[in-house]
Amino acid sequence: MATAQVAPVRPEAQAKKVAERPIEAYHWLRCKTTVEIAVPKFTVGDLLNLRKGAVVQTTTRVANDVPIRINQTLFGWGRFEVLDDRLAVRITELA
């Protein structure tokens, strides 16, 4: 098994990076990311009747981009993809 070699970051290089993009100083903060899909005429009764394996019809077409929000702020748009056995969202446009 090969191991990756990681070069240490020089303090002056890190300081320059933070000066150019101050948000870089907060790279470790957690955020909540959501992808919105419109489900028409969905009721609380429908929600209560959901079971494993249920299929919910949406108004979003397969080729349409869906909004991606980070901490409730629009970040961009993306499309759903399947990677191995996981559902993923590919970012197609930034807001």
Side-chain angles (χ1 to χ4, degrees):
M1 181 193 301
T3 58
Q5 297 291 326
V6 179
V9 177
R10 294 184 185 146
E12 61 274 6
Q14 183 67 22
K16 182 180 177 187
K17 188 175 182 181
V18 170
E20 291 171 1
R21 294 188 63 198
I23 193 74
E24 296 289 335
Y26 301 100
H27 65 89
W28 51 271
L29 283 175
R30 293 188 183 269
C31 57
K32 181 178 180 181
T33 304
T34 58
V35 179
E36 298 176 1
I37 303 172
V39 180
K41 301 178 185 174
F42 195 77
T43 65
V44 172
D46 296 330
L47 177 65
L48 295 173
N49 289 321
L50 286 178
R51 300 290 180 257
K52 183 177 179 178
V55 176
V56 177
Q57 186 173 352
T58 72
T59 58
T60 304
R61 294 189 173 271
V62 174
N64 285 4
D65 288 345
V66 292
I68 301 169
R69 295 187 182 278
I70 297 180
N71 292 343
Q72 300 178 345
T73 300
L74 184 63
F75 174 76
W77 292 267
R79 292 191 177 163
F80 287 105
E81 293 188 8
V82 177
L83 298 175
D84 297 322
D85 63 340
R86 298 196 180 246
L87 183 62
V89 177
R90 179 180 300 276
I91 298 170
T92 58
E93 185 178 344
L94 297 175

